[in-house]
CSV table of all heavy atoms in Angstrom, one decimal:
chain,number,residue,atom,x,y,z
C,1,MET,N,193.4,-49.8,262.2
C,1,MET,CA,194.7,-49.4,262.8
C,1,MET,C,194.6,-48.1,263.4
C,1,MET,O,194.3,-47.1,262.8
C,1,MET,CB,195.8,-49.4,261.6
C,1,MET,CG,197.0,-48.7,262.0
C,1,MET,SD,198.3,-48.5,260.7
C,1,MET,CE,197.8,-49.4,259.3
C,2,LYS,N,194.8,-48.0,264.7
C,2,LYS,CA,194.8,-46.7,265.4
C,2,LYS,C,196.2,-46.2,265.6
C,2,LYS,O,197.1,-47.0,265.9
C,2,LYS,CB,194.2,-46.9,266.8
C,2,LYS,CG,192.7,-47.1,266.8
C,2,LYS,CD,192.2,-46.1,267.8
C,2,LYS,CE,190.6,-46.2,267.7
C,2,LYS,NZ,190.0,-45.0,268.1
C,3,ASN,N,196.4,-44.9,265.3
C,3,ASN,CA,197.7,-44.3,265.4
C,3,ASN,C,197.6,-43.3,266.6
C,3,ASN,O,196.7,-42.6,266.8
C,3,ASN,CB,198.0,-43.5,264.2
C,3,ASN,CG,198.2,-44.5,263.0
C,3,ASN,OD1,198.8,-45.5,263.1
C,3,ASN,ND2,197.6,-44.1,261.9
C,4,THR,N,198.7,-43.3,267.4
C,4,THR,CA,198.8,-42.3,268.4
C,4,THR,C,199.1,-40.9,267.8
C,4,THR,O,199.5,-40.8,266.6
C,4,THR,CB,200.0,-42.6,269.4
C,4,THR,OG1,201.2,-42.6,268.7
C,4,THR,CG2,199.8,-44.0,270.0
C,5,GLU,N,199.0,-39.9,268.6
C,5,GLU,CA,199.3,-38.5,268.1
C,5,GLU,C,200.8,-38.4,267.7
C,5,GLU,O,201.1,-37.9,266.6
C,5,GLU,CB,199.0,-37.5,269.1
C,5,GLU,CG,197.5,-37.3,269.4
C,5,GLU,CD,196.8,-36.8,268.2
C,5,GLU,OE1,197.2,-35.9,267.4
C,5,GLU,OE2,195.7,-37.4,267.9
C,6,LYS,N,201.7,-39.1,268.4
C,6,LYS,CA,203.1,-39.1,268.1
C,6,LYS,C,203.3,-39.8,266.7
C,6,LYS,O,204.1,-39.3,265.9
C,6,LYS,CB,203.9,-39.8,269.2
C,6,LYS,CG,205.4,-39.8,269.0
C,6,LYS,CD,206.1,-40.4,270.1
C,6,LYS,CE,207.6,-40.4,269.9
C,6,LYS,NZ,208.3,-41.0,271.0
C,7,GLU,N,202.6,-40.9,266.5
C,7,GLU,CA,202.8,-41.6,265.2
C,7,GLU,C,202.2,-40.8,264.1
C,7,GLU,O,202.8,-40.7,263.0
C,7,GLU,CB,202.1,-42.9,265.3
C,7,GLU,CG,202.8,-43.9,266.2
C,7,GLU,CD,201.9,-45.2,266.4
C,7,GLU,OE1,200.7,-45.1,266.4
C,7,GLU,OE2,202.6,-46.2,266.7
C,8,LYS,N,201.1,-40.1,264.3
C,8,LYS,CA,200.6,-39.2,263.2
C,8,LYS,C,201.5,-38.1,262.9
C,8,LYS,O,201.7,-37.8,261.7
C,8,LYS,CB,199.2,-38.6,263.7
C,8,LYS,CG,198.1,-39.6,263.8
C,8,LYS,CD,196.9,-39.0,264.3
C,8,LYS,CE,195.8,-40.0,264.6
C,8,LYS,NZ,194.6,-39.4,265.2
C,9,VAL,N,202.2,-37.5,263.8
C,9,VAL,CA,203.2,-36.5,263.6
C,9,VAL,C,204.4,-37.1,262.8
C,9,VAL,O,204.9,-36.5,261.8
C,9,VAL,CB,203.7,-35.8,264.9
C,9,VAL,CG1,204.9,-34.9,264.6
C,9,VAL,CG2,202.5,-35.0,265.5
C,10,GLY,N,204.8,-38.2,263.2
C,10,GLY,CA,205.9,-38.9,262.5
C,10,GLY,C,205.6,-39.2,261.1
C,10,GLY,O,206.4,-39.0,260.2
C,11,ILE,N,204.4,-39.7,260.8
C,11,ILE,CA,203.9,-39.9,259.4
C,11,ILE,C,203.9,-38.7,258.6
C,11,ILE,O,204.4,-38.6,257.5
C,11,ILE,CB,202.6,-40.6,259.4
C,11,ILE,CG1,202.7,-42.0,260.0
C,11,ILE,CG2,202.0,-40.7,258.0
C,11,ILE,CD1,201.4,-42.7,260.3
C,12,ALA,N,203.4,-37.6,259.2
C,12,ALA,CA,203.3,-36.3,258.5
C,12,ALA,C,204.7,-35.8,258.2
C,12,ALA,O,204.9,-35.2,257.1
C,12,ALA,CB,202.5,-35.3,259.3
C,13,LYS,N,205.7,-35.9,259.1
C,13,LYS,CA,207.0,-35.4,258.9
C,13,LYS,C,207.7,-36.1,257.7
C,13,LYS,O,208.6,-35.6,257.1
C,13,LYS,CB,207.9,-35.6,260.1
C,13,LYS,CG,207.6,-34.6,261.2
C,13,LYS,CD,208.5,-34.8,262.4
C,13,LYS,CE,208.2,-33.7,263.4
C,13,LYS,NZ,209.1,-33.9,264.6
C,14,GLN,N,207.3,-37.4,257.4
C,14,GLN,CA,207.9,-38.1,256.4
C,14,GLN,C,207.7,-37.5,255.0
C,14,GLN,O,208.4,-37.8,254.1
C,14,GLN,CB,207.5,-39.6,256.4
C,14,GLN,CG,208.0,-40.4,257.6
C,14,GLN,CD,207.6,-41.8,257.5
C,14,GLN,OE1,208.0,-42.5,256.5
C,14,GLN,NE2,207.0,-42.3,258.5
C,15,GLN,N,206.6,-36.7,254.9
C,15,GLN,CA,206.4,-36.1,253.5
C,15,GLN,C,207.5,-35.1,253.1
C,15,GLN,O,207.6,-34.8,252.0
C,15,GLN,CB,205.0,-35.5,253.6
C,15,GLN,CG,204.9,-34.2,254.4
C,15,GLN,CD,203.6,-33.6,254.5
C,15,GLN,OE1,202.9,-33.6,253.5
C,15,GLN,NE2,203.1,-33.2,255.6
C,16,TYR,N,208.3,-34.7,254.1
C,16,TYR,CA,209.4,-33.8,253.8
C,16,TYR,C,210.7,-34.5,253.5
C,16,TYR,O,211.7,-33.9,253.2
C,16,TYR,CB,209.6,-32.8,255.0
C,16,TYR,CG,208.3,-32.0,255.2
C,16,TYR,CD1,207.4,-32.2,256.2
C,16,TYR,CD2,208.0,-30.9,254.3
C,16,TYR,CE1,206.3,-31.4,256.4
C,16,TYR,CE2,206.9,-30.1,254.5
C,16,TYR,CZ,206.0,-30.4,255.5
C,16,TYR,OH,204.9,-29.7,255.7
C,17,GLU,N,210.7,-35.8,253.6
C,17,GLU,CA,211.8,-36.6,253.2
C,17,GLU,C,211.6,-37.1,251.8
C,17,GLU,O,210.6,-36.9,251.2
C,17,GLU,CB,211.9,-37.9,254.1
C,17,GLU,CG,212.1,-37.5,255.6
C,17,GLU,CD,212.0,-38.7,256.5
C,17,GLU,OE1,212.0,-39.9,256.0
C,17,GLU,OE2,212.0,-38.5,257.7
C,18,THR,N,212.7,-37.6,251.2
C,18,THR,CA,212.6,-38.0,249.8
C,18,THR,C,211.9,-39.4,249.7
C,18,THR,O,212.4,-40.4,250.3
C,18,THR,CB,214.0,-38.2,249.2
C,18,THR,OG1,214.7,-36.9,249.3
C,18,THR,CG2,214.0,-38.6,247.8
C,19,LEU,N,210.8,-39.4,249.1
C,19,LEU,CA,210.0,-40.7,248.9
C,19,LEU,C,210.1,-41.1,247.5
C,19,LEU,O,210.1,-40.2,246.6
C,19,LEU,CB,208.5,-40.5,249.3
C,19,LEU,CG,208.3,-40.1,250.8
C,19,LEU,CD1,206.8,-39.9,251.0
C,19,LEU,CD2,208.8,-41.2,251.7
C,20,ARG,N,210.3,-42.4,247.2
C,20,ARG,CA,210.4,-42.9,245.9
C,20,ARG,C,209.4,-43.9,245.6
C,20,ARG,O,209.0,-44.6,246.5
C,20,ARG,CB,211.8,-43.5,245.7
C,20,ARG,CG,212.9,-42.5,245.8
C,20,ARG,CD,214.3,-43.1,245.6
C,20,ARG,NE,215.4,-42.2,245.6
C,20,ARG,CZ,216.0,-41.8,246.7
C,20,ARG,NH1,215.6,-42.3,247.9
C,20,ARG,NH2,216.9,-40.9,246.7
C,21,LEU,N,209.0,-44.0,244.3
C,21,LEU,CA,208.0,-45.0,243.9
C,21,LEU,C,208.5,-46.4,244.3
C,21,LEU,O,209.7,-46.7,244.2
C,21,LEU,CB,207.8,-44.9,242.4
C,21,LEU,CG,206.9,-43.8,241.9
C,21,LEU,CD1,206.8,-43.8,240.4
C,21,LEU,CD2,205.5,-43.9,242.5
C,22,LYS,N,207.6,-47.3,244.6
C,22,LYS,CA,207.8,-48.7,245.0
C,22,LYS,C,208.5,-48.8,246.3
C,22,LYS,O,208.7,-50.0,246.8
C,22,LYS,CB,208.6,-49.4,243.9
C,22,LYS,CG,208.0,-49.4,242.5
C,22,LYS,CD,208.9,-50.2,241.6
C,22,LYS,CE,208.3,-50.1,240.2
C,22,LYS,NZ,209.2,-50.9,239.2
C,23,GLU,N,208.8,-47.7,247.0
C,23,GLU,CA,209.6,-47.8,248.2
C,23,GLU,C,208.6,-48.1,249.4
C,23,GLU,O,207.5,-47.6,249.4
C,23,GLU,CB,210.2,-46.4,248.5
C,23,GLU,CG,211.2,-46.4,249.6
C,23,GLU,CD,211.9,-45.0,249.6
C,23,GLU,OE1,211.3,-44.1,250.1
C,23,GLU,OE2,213.0,-44.9,249.1
C,24,PRO,N,209.0,-49.0,250.3
C,24,PRO,CA,208.1,-49.3,251.4
C,24,PRO,C,208.0,-48.0,252.3
C,24,PRO,O,208.9,-47.2,252.4
C,24,PRO,CB,208.8,-50.4,252.2
C,24,PRO,CG,210.1,-50.6,251.6
C,24,PRO,CD,210.2,-49.8,250.3
C,25,PHE,N,206.8,-47.9,252.9
C,25,PHE,CA,206.6,-46.7,253.8
C,25,PHE,C,206.2,-47.3,255.2
C,25,PHE,O,205.4,-48.1,255.3
C,25,PHE,CB,205.4,-45.9,253.2
C,25,PHE,CG,205.1,-44.6,253.9
C,25,PHE,CD1,205.8,-43.5,253.5
C,25,PHE,CD2,204.2,-44.5,254.9
C,25,PHE,CE1,205.6,-42.3,254.2
C,25,PHE,CE2,204.0,-43.3,255.6
C,25,PHE,CZ,204.7,-42.2,255.2
C,26,PHE,N,206.9,-46.7,256.2
C,26,PHE,CA,206.8,-47.2,257.5
C,26,PHE,C,206.2,-46.2,258.4
C,26,PHE,O,206.4,-45.0,258.2
C,26,PHE,CB,208.1,-47.7,258.1
C,26,PHE,CG,208.8,-48.8,257.3
C,26,PHE,CD1,209.7,-48.5,256.4
C,26,PHE,CD2,208.4,-50.1,257.5
C,26,PHE,CE1,210.3,-49.5,255.6
C,26,PHE,CE2,209.0,-51.1,256.8
C,26,PHE,CZ,209.9,-50.8,255.8
C,27,LYS,N,205.5,-46.6,259.5
C,27,LYS,CA,204.8,-45.7,260.4
C,27,LYS,C,205.7,-45.0,261.3
C,27,LYS,O,205.5,-43.9,261.7
C,27,LYS,CB,203.7,-46.5,261.2
C,27,LYS,CG,203.0,-45.8,262.2
C,27,LYS,CD,201.7,-46.4,262.6
C,27,LYS,CE,201.8,-47.6,263.5
C,27,LYS,NZ,200.5,-48.1,264.0
C,28,ASN,N,206.8,-45.7,261.7
C,28,ASN,CA,207.7,-45.1,262.7
C,28,ASN,C,209.1,-45.7,262.6
C,28,ASN,O,209.3,-46.5,261.8
C,28,ASN,CB,207.1,-45.3,264.1
C,28,ASN,CG,206.8,-46.7,264.4
C,28,ASN,OD1,207.4,-47.6,263.9
C,28,ASN,ND2,205.7,-47.0,265.2
C,29,GLU,N,209.9,-45.3,263.5
C,29,GLU,CA,211.3,-45.7,263.5
C,29,GLU,C,211.4,-47.2,263.9
C,29,GLU,O,212.4,-47.9,263.6
C,29,GLU,CB,212.2,-44.9,264.4
C,29,GLU,CG,211.8,-44.8,265.9
C,29,GLU,CD,210.7,-43.7,266.1
C,29,GLU,OE1,210.5,-42.9,265.3
C,29,GLU,OE2,210.1,-43.8,267.2
C,30,ASN,N,210.3,-47.8,264.4
C,30,ASN,CA,210.3,-49.3,264.7
C,30,ASN,C,210.0,-50.1,263.4
C,30,ASN,O,209.8,-51.3,263.5
C,30,ASN,CB,209.3,-49.6,265.8
C,30,ASN,CG,209.7,-49.0,267.1
C,30,ASN,OD1,210.8,-48.8,267.4
C,30,ASN,ND2,208.7,-48.7,267.9
C,31,LYS,N,209.9,-49.4,262.3
C,31,LYS,CA,209.7,-50.0,261.0
C,31,LYS,C,208.3,-50.8,260.9
C,31,LYS,O,208.2,-51.9,260.4
C,31,LYS,CB,210.8,-51.0,260.7
C,31,LYS,CG,212.2,-50.3,260.6
C,31,LYS,CD,212.2,-49.4,259.4
C,31,LYS,CE,213.6,-48.8,259.2
C,31,LYS,NZ,213.6,-47.8,258.2
C,32,GLU,N,207.3,-50.2,261.5
C,32,GLU,CA,205.9,-50.8,261.4
C,32,GLU,C,205.4,-50.4,260.0
C,32,GLU,O,205.2,-49.2,259.7
C,32,GLU,CB,205.0,-50.2,262.5
C,32,GLU,CG,205.3,-50.8,263.8
C,32,GLU,CD,204.3,-50.3,264.9
C,32,GLU,OE1,203.1,-50.6,264.7
C,32,GLU,OE2,204.7,-49.6,265.8
C,33,PHE,N,205.3,-51.4,259.2
C,33,PHE,CA,205.0,-51.2,257.7
C,33,PHE,C,203.5,-50.7,257.5
C,33,PHE,O,202.6,-51.2,258.1
C,33,PHE,CB,205.1,-52.6,257.0
C,33,PHE,CG,204.8,-52.6,255.6
C,33,PHE,CD1,205.7,-52.0,254.7
C,33,PHE,CD2,203.7,-53.1,255.1
C,33,PHE,CE1,205.4,-52.0,253.3
C,33,PHE,CE2,203.4,-53.1,253.8
C,33,PHE,CZ,204.3,-52.6,252.9
C,34,ILE,N,203.4,-49.7,256.7
C,34,ILE,CA,202.1,-49.2,256.3
C,34,ILE,C,201.8,-49.6,254.9
C,34,ILE,O,200.7,-50.1,254.6
C,34,ILE,CB,202.0,-47.7,256.4
C,34,ILE,CG1,202.1,-47.2,257.8
C,34,ILE,CG2,200.8,-47.1,255.7
C,34,ILE,CD1,202.1,-45.7,258.0
C,35,GLY,N,202.7,-49.4,253.9
C,35,GLY,CA,202.4,-49.8,252.5
C,35,GLY,C,203.6,-49.3,251.6
C,35,GLY,O,204.7,-49.1,252.1
C,36,TYR,N,203.3,-49.2,250.4
C,36,TYR,CA,204.3,-48.8,249.4
C,36,TYR,C,203.8,-47.5,248.7
C,36,TYR,O,202.6,-47.2,248.5
C,36,TYR,CB,204.4,-49.8,248.3
C,36,TYR,CG,204.9,-51.1,248.8
C,36,TYR,CD1,204.1,-52.2,249.2
C,36,TYR,CD2,206.3,-51.3,248.8
C,36,TYR,CE1,204.6,-53.4,249.6
C,36,TYR,CE2,206.9,-52.5,249.3
C,36,TYR,CZ,206.0,-53.5,249.7
C,36,TYR,OH,206.5,-54.7,250.2
C,37,VAL,N,204.8,-46.7,248.3
C,37,VAL,CA,204.6,-45.4,247.6
C,37,VAL,C,204.2,-45.9,246.2
C,37,VAL,O,205.0,-46.4,245.4
C,37,VAL,CB,205.8,-44.5,247.6
C,37,VAL,CG1,205.5,-43.2,246.8
C,37,VAL,CG2,206.2,-44.2,249.0
C,38,SER,N,202.9,-45.7,245.8
C,38,SER,CA,202.4,-46.1,244.5
C,38,SER,C,202.3,-45.0,243.5
C,38,SER,O,202.3,-45.2,242.3
C,38,SER,CB,201.1,-46.8,244.6
C,38,SER,OG,201.2,-48.1,245.2
C,39,HIS,N,202.2,-43.8,244.0
C,39,HIS,CA,202.1,-42.6,243.1
C,39,HIS,C,202.5,-41.4,243.8
C,39,HIS,O,202.3,-41.2,245.0
C,39,HIS,CB,200.6,-42.5,242.6
C,39,HIS,CG,200.4,-41.5,241.5
C,39,HIS,ND1,200.8,-41.8,240.2
C,39,HIS,CD2,200.0,-40.2,241.5
C,39,HIS,CE1,200.6,-40.7,239.4
C,39,HIS,NE2,200.0,-39.8,240.2
C,40,ILE,N,203.2,-40.5,243.0
C,40,ILE,CA,203.6,-39.2,243.5
C,40,ILE,C,203.1,-38.1,242.6
C,40,ILE,O,203.3,-38.2,241.4
C,40,ILE,CB,205.2,-39.1,243.6
C,40,ILE,CG1,205.7,-40.2,244.5
C,40,ILE,CG2,205.6,-37.7,244.1
C,40,ILE,CD1,207.3,-40.2,244.5
C,41,ASN,N,202.3,-37.2,243.2
C,41,ASN,CA,201.7,-36.1,242.4
C,41,ASN,C,202.6,-34.9,242.7
C,41,ASN,O,202.7,-34.5,243.9
C,41,ASN,CB,200.3,-35.8,242.8
C,41,ASN,CG,199.4,-36.9,242.4
C,41,ASN,OD1,199.4,-37.5,241.3
C,41,ASN,ND2,198.5,-37.3,243.4
C,42,SER,N,203.2,-34.3,241.7
C,42,SER,CA,204.0,-33.1,241.9
C,42,SER,C,203.4,-32.0,241.0
C,42,SER,O,203.4,-32.2,239.8
C,42,SER,CB,205.4,-33.3,241.6
C,42,SER,OG,206.0,-34.2,242.5
C,43,LYS,N,203.0,-30.9,241.6
C,43,LYS,CA,202.5,-29.8,240.8
C,43,LYS,C,203.5,-28.7,240.6
C,43,LYS,O,204.4,-28.6,241.5
C,43,LYS,CB,201.2,-29.2,241.5
C,43,LYS,CG,200.1,-30.2,241.5
C,43,LYS,CD,198.9,-29.5,242.1
C,43,LYS,CE,197.7,-30.5,242.1
C,43,LYS,NZ,196.5,-29.9,242.6
C,44,ILE,N,203.4,-27.9,239.6
C,44,ILE,CA,204.3,-26.8,239.3
C,44,ILE,C,204.3,-25.8,240.5
C,44,ILE,O,205.3,-25.1,240.7
C,44,ILE,CB,204.0,-26.1,238.0
C,44,ILE,CG1,205.1,-25.2,237.6
C,44,ILE,CG2,202.7,-25.3,238.1
C,44,ILE,CD1,205.1,-24.9,236.1
C,45,THR,N,203.3,-25.7,241.3
C,45,THR,CA,203.2,-24.8,242.4
C,45,THR,C,204.0,-25.3,243.6
C,45,THR,O,204.2,-24.5,244.6
C,45,THR,CB,201.7,-24.6,242.9
C,45,THR,OG1,201.3,-25.9,243.3
C,45,THR,CG2,200.9,-24.1,241.8
C,46,GLY,N,204.5,-26.5,243.5
C,46,GLY,CA,205.4,-27.1,244.6
C,46,GLY,C,204.6,-28.0,245.5
C,46,GLY,O,205.1,-28.7,246.3
C,47,GLU,N,203.3,-28.1,245.3
C,47,GLU,CA,202.4,-29.0,246.0
C,47,GLU,C,202.8,-30.4,245.7
C,47,GLU,O,202.9,-30.7,244.5
C,47,GLU,CB,201.0,-28.7,245.8
C,47,GLU,CG,200.0,-29.7,246.5
C,47,GLU,CD,198.6,-29.5,246.1
C,47,GLU,OE1,198.3,-28.5,245.4
C,47,GLU,OE2,197.8,-30.4,246.4
C,48,GLN,N,202.9,-31.3,246.6
C,48,GLN,CA,203.1,-32.7,246.4
C,48,GLN,C,202.2,-33.5,247.2
C,48,GLN,O,201.8,-33.2,248.3
C,48,GLN,CB,204.5,-33.1,246.8
C,48,GLN,CG,205.6,-32.8,245.8
C,48,GLN,CD,206.9,-33.4,246.1
C,48,GLN,OE1,207.3,-33.5,247.3
C,48,GLN,NE2,207.6,-33.9,245.1
C,49,SER,N,201.7,-34.6,246.7
C,49,SER,CA,200.9,-35.6,247.4
C,49,SER,C,201.4,-37.0,247.0
C,49,SER,O,201.9,-37.2,246.0
C,49,SER,CB,199.4,-35.4,247.2
C,49,SER,OG,199.1,-35.6,245.8
C,50,PHE,N,201.2,-37.9,248.0
C,50,PHE,CA,201.6,-39.3,247.8
C,50,PHE,C,200.5,-40.2,248.0
C,50,PHE,O,199.7,-40.1,248.9
C,50,PHE,CB,202.8,-39.6,248.7
C,50,PHE,CG,203.9,-38.6,248.7
C,50,PHE,CD1,203.9,-37.5,249.5
C,50,PHE,CD2,204.9,-38.8,247.8
C,50,PHE,CE1,205.0,-36.6,249.4
C,50,PHE,CE2,206.0,-37.9,247.7
C,50,PHE,CZ,206.0,-36.8,248.5
C,51,ILE,N,200.4,-41.3,247.2
C,51,ILE,CA,199.5,-42.4,247.4
C,51,ILE,C,200.2,-43.6,248.0
C,51,ILE,O,201.2,-44.1,247.3
C,51,ILE,CB,198.7,-42.7,246.1
C,51,ILE,CG1,197.9,-41.5,245.6
C,51,ILE,CG2,197.8,-43.9,246.3
C,51,ILE,CD1,197.3,-41.6,244.3
C,52,ILE,N,199.8,-44.0,249.1
C,52,ILE,CA,200.4,-45.2,249.8
C,52,ILE,C,199.4,-46.3,249.7
C,52,ILE,O,198.3,-46.1,250.2
C,52,ILE,CB,200.8,-44.9,251.2
C,52,ILE,CG1,201.6,-43.6,251.4
C,52,ILE,CG2,201.5,-46.0,251.9
C,52,ILE,CD1,203.0,-43.6,250.7
C,53,THR,N,199.8,-47.5,249.2
C,53,THR,CA,198.9,-48.6,249.1
C,53,THR,C,199.5,-49.8,249.8
C,53,THR,O,200.7,-49.9,249.9
C,53,THR,CB,198.5,-48.9,247.6
C,53,THR,OG1,199.7,-49.1,246.9
C,53,THR,CG2,197.8,-47.8,247.0
C,54,ASP,N,198.7,-50.8,250.2
C,54,ASP,CA,199.2,-52.0,250.8
C,54,ASP,C,200.0,-52.8,249.9
C,54,ASP,O,200.9,-53.5,250.3
C,54,ASP,CB,198.1,-52.8,251.4
C,54,ASP,CG,197.0,-53.3,250.4
C,54,ASP,OD1,197.0,-52.8,249.3
C,54,ASP,OD2,196.3,-54.2,250.8
C,55,LYS,N,199.8,-52.8,248.6
C,55,LYS,CA,200.6,-53.5,247.6
C,55,LYS,C,200.9,-52.4,246.5
C,55,LYS,O,200.1,-51.5,246.2
C,55,LYS,CB,199.8,-54.6,246.9
C,55,LYS,CG,199.4,-55.7,247.9
C,55,LYS,CD,198.6,-56.7,247.2
C,55,LYS,CE,198.1,-57.7,248.2
C,55,LYS,NZ,197.1,-58.6,247.6
C,56,TYR,N,202.1,-52.5,245.9
C,56,TYR,CA,202.5,-51.5,244.9
C,56,TYR,C,201.6,-51.6,243.7
C,56,TYR,O,201.3,-52.7,243.2
C,56,TYR,CB,204.0,-51.7,244.5
C,56,TYR,CG,204.3,-50.8,243.3
C,56,TYR,CD1,204.4,-49.4,243.5
C,56,TYR,CD2,204.4,-51.3,242.0
C,56,TYR,CE1,204.7,-48.5,242.5
C,56,TYR,CE2,204.7,-50.4,241.0
C,56,TYR,CZ,204.8,-49.1,241.2
C,56,TYR,OH,205.1,-48.2,240.2
C,57,VAL,N,201.0,-50.5,243.3
C,57,VAL,CA,200.1,-50.4,242.2
C,57,VAL,C,200.6,-49.4,241.2
C,57,VAL,O,200.6,-48.2,241.6
C,57,VAL,CB,198.7,-50.0,242.6
C,57,VAL,CG1,197.7,-50.0,241.4
C,57,VAL,CG2,198.1,-51.0,243.7
C,58,PRO,N,201.1,-49.8,240.0
C,58,PRO,CA,201.7,-48.8,239.1
C,58,PRO,C,200.6,-47.9,238.5
C,58,PRO,O,199.5,-48.1,238.5
C,58,PRO,CB,202.3,-49.7,238.0
C,58,PRO,CG,201.8,-51.0,238.2
C,58,PRO,CD,201.2,-51.1,239.5
């Protein structure tokens, strides 16, 4: 899957929105599906990272 620069920026901006476990994750406003939020890492320092998988994995 090749992403344009615009799509890469859109994906990166989504990390500042509220993401929830099991929620579908889309590439852009056209709802091109990427996967599901399977894990959210939140550190006390404020750092967050998300694992997106093609199928939800608890």
Side-chain angles (χ1 to χ4, degrees):
M1 166 184 353
K2 284 233 176 207
N3 295 315
T4 65
E5 291 299 316
K6 183 177 180 179
E7 289 170 332
K8 290 177 186 177
V9 169
I11 291 168
K13 283 182 178 180
Q14 289 185 58
Q15 69 184 322
Y16 297 102
E17 298 174 9
T18 302
L19 297 178
R20 293 183 179 85
L21 285 177
K22 302 181 185 178
E23 191 173 81
F25 189 85
F26 300 99
K27 178 162 69 170
N28 53 32
E29 55 276 346
N30 294 332
K31 299 293 186 188
E32 289 184 60
F33 180 75
I34 292 179
Y36 294 95
V37 179
S38 287
H39 190 75
I40 300 173
N41 295 314
S42 296
K43 295 184 178 182
I44 196 161
T45 60
E47 177 187 347
Q48 282 190 318
S49 61
F50 305 91
I51 298 175
I52 310 295
T53 56
D54 60 343
K55 298 177 185 169
Y56 174 69
V57 181

